[in-house]
Amino acid sequence: MEAPAHTHLVGQDLDELSDLIRSLGEAPYRARQIYQGLYRDQVGTASAISTLPLSLREALERDHGSGQPAVHSRFMSTDGTVRYLLRLADERTVEAVFIPEADRDTLCISSQVGCAVDCKFCLTALMGLERNLTAGEIVGQVLAISMDQGLDARKRPINIVMMGMGEPLLNLGSVMKATRLLADPDGVGIPQRRITVSTAGIVPKIAEFGSHPVRGKLAISLNASNQQQRTEIMPVTAKYRLEDLLQACHEYPLRPWEKLTFEYVLLRDVNDSDDDARRVLSLVAGLKCSVNLIALNPGEGIPYETPEDRRVRAFRAILHPRVPCFVRRPRGRDIFAACGQLRRTSEAAPDQTSPA
Ligand code: SAH
């Protein structure tokens, strides 16, 4: 279950690289050159860090390797979204999604291979949990896609959402370390306020997450308007109860520029009534927050249906005057890249696939 021991370079912070460089008897400033080469300049491998002497590059490549996930395959949506299947060092694979928008790009990345939280509307749940990702594998998804798409966070904003496979708060150490590497201006350079971590509501971990000075914004998958409904569609919430979740939200140390996001997947005739909307409104009352509605993205083996647009709009209309409420447009449904559709499908219509 544990991630492989990582002597790989990607995922190491400056202190760790400094220790490594010292152990190799090299000049201390080499650590920063490796750090900048991998995270800021995103060259992909130690051997491509041109500021290093050839002998050091060869030694690093031989004994460590960058550990950056490799693009195994891409699935391209008609709307520009690209779902990536990325290969890890131990040959396992995870998915991440590139979502181009008008004035920025969004990368949806994974925190675990599979997921242990058994949400009944989500395809990833059907995989179970294979293992946690290392910090390097989390950052590495961003590096791999950035290289592939030619992205540069310093020229055009990149948003990161940890909404791919897995439950980030059940892999907190790696998620926090990855966030520091992503947010460091001398590292990947994606500001904290452009990073969102989404949780199914692992209540005891919320305060711990909030205690980290460098962290993404918190999104909470509410998905139901009362405890009974929530337990039915997200069995893990029998343990992490709605009232405790809301208390953790009230106690959460929001930074001045920040608000909570509640996500709510609408399941036809299950949690999408006007009464549900009114209950959601009273649940979030008093919290500085917004609500994102997502109509179910369907999948084989998912026993729910997608509500009609009309129902989604009516639900929003009840919430919006009181709390900012937005309907998330599904992106990449045709390639199974939308929320809840990641399950490492290697199949797609041939004309949608481009081999790496
Ligand atoms: N485990 C984390 C992050 C992964 S799920 C969490 O639960 O938040 C990311 C988001 O996708 C969650 O808000 C989840 O409720 C939503 N989601 C899952 N399956 C979905 C589906 N089939 N259709 C629409 N949204 C879905």
Side-chain angles (χ1 to χ4, degrees), residues 4-326:
H6 64 103
T7 54
H8 291 134
L9 297 176
V10 171
Q12 299 203 33
D13 61 22
L14 193 56
D15 287 344
E16 289 164 329
L17 290 173
S18 298
D19 289 346
L20 173 65
I21 280 298
R22 200 172 314 121
S23 74
L24 296 174
E26 297 281 342
Y29 68 91
R30 297 293 183 201
R32 186 168 289 277
Q33 289 178 323
I34 299 172
Y35 188 85
Q36 291 177 334
L38 292 174
Y39 301 120
R40 190 192 64 187
D41 305 336
Q42 304 178 2
V43 297
T45 62
S47 52
I49 305 175
S50 57
T51 46
L52 301 178
L54 198 56
S55 58
L56 178 56
R57 285 190 240 173
E58 281 169 359
L60 290 171
E61 201 59 62
R62 187 185 60 234
D63 299 335
H64 299 277
S66 82
Q68 184 169 306
V71 176
H72 175 283
S73 39
R74 309 176 187 85
F75 305 91
M76 304 197 190
S77 166
T78 49
D79 70 13
T81 301
V82 183
R83 176 165 61 92
Y84 282 89
L85 189 63
L86 300 171
R87 196 178 59 244
L88 309 173
D90 65 353
E91 300 294 319
R92 288 181 199 267
T93 50
V94 277
E95 292 190 331
V97 184
F98 168 71
I99 307 160
E101 289 168 271
D103 52 357
R104 58 164 190 258
D105 298 310
T106 297
L107 304 184
C108 175
I109 60 174
S110 296
S111 56
Q112 299 180 310
V113 186
C115 189
V117 181
D118 193 21
C119 301
K120 297 302 174 200
F121 46 84
C122 177
L123 281 174
T124 306
L126 301 177
M127 291 175 61
L129 177 65
E130 291 186 14
R131 69 168 170 83
N132 279 334
L133 293 178
T134 63
E137 289 166 336
I138 297 173
V139 176
Q141 295 169 65
V142 175
L143 299 177
I145 296 180
S146 287
M147 271 183 87
D148 196 57
Q149 295 284 341
L151 311 182
D152 181 349
R154 288 164 183 83
K155 299 206 175 110
R156 178 178 149 90
I158 298 176
N159 286 353
I160 302 289
V161 295
M162 293 198 200
M163 296 187 186
M165 293 175 163
E167 169 47 51
L169 295 200
L170 292 177
N171 185 17
L172 198 57
S174 296
V175 164
M176 299 323 297
K177 187 177 185 195
T179 302
R180 290 191 292 275
L181 296 168
L182 289 169
D184 182 0
D186 208 28
V188 184
I190 299 173
Q192 301 174 66
R193 60 184 76 204
R194 291 200 171 272
I195 300 173
T196 300
V197 173
S198 177
T199 179
I202 311 299
V203 175
K205 298 283 182 186
I206 290 178
E208 189 182 336
F209 177 79
S211 72
H212 288 263
V214 178
R215 63 181 188 274
K217 294 185 293 185
L218 188 61
I220 297 191
S221 299
L222 182 63
N223 290 344
S225 71
N226 63 40
Q227 177 65 42
Q228 190 200 344
Q229 203 180 61
R230 200 157 184 262
T231 316
E232 195 180 301
I233 64 177
M234 303 171 76
V236 74
T237 65
K239 189 157 87 185
Y240 304 121
R241 298 184 61 81
L242 193 50
E243 60 196 42
D244 300 330
L245 174 64
L246 291 167
Q247 181 167 349
C249 290
H250 279 282
E251 290 165 2
Y252 185 75
L254 284 174
R255 293 158 286 185
W257 46 268
E258 188 178 17
K259 60 183 176 181
L260 290 169
T261 302
F262 288 99
E263 296 155 281
Y264 195 99
V265 51
L266 289 160
L267 312 174
R268 182 177 186 159
D269 297 333
V270 175
N271 65 357
D272 65 344
S273 71
D274 288 355
D275 281 344
D276 286 308
R278 283 189 277 269
R279 279 194 293 267
V280 168
L281 206 48
S282 61
L283 291 177
V284 305
L287 290 165
K288 189 179 169 199
C289 68
S290 59
V291 177
N292 279 347
L293 301 177
I294 321 164
L296 175 79
N297 293 309
E300 209 183 301
I302 300 297
Y304 299 107
E305 286 169 38
T306 308
E308 286 175 14
D309 281 354
R310 232 171 357 142
R311 181 86 298 271
V312 177
R313 281 198 301 273
F315 197 97
R316 174 179 185 257
I318 292 172
L319 283 156
H320 194 63
R322 303 272 298 281
V323 56
C325 178
F326 308 97

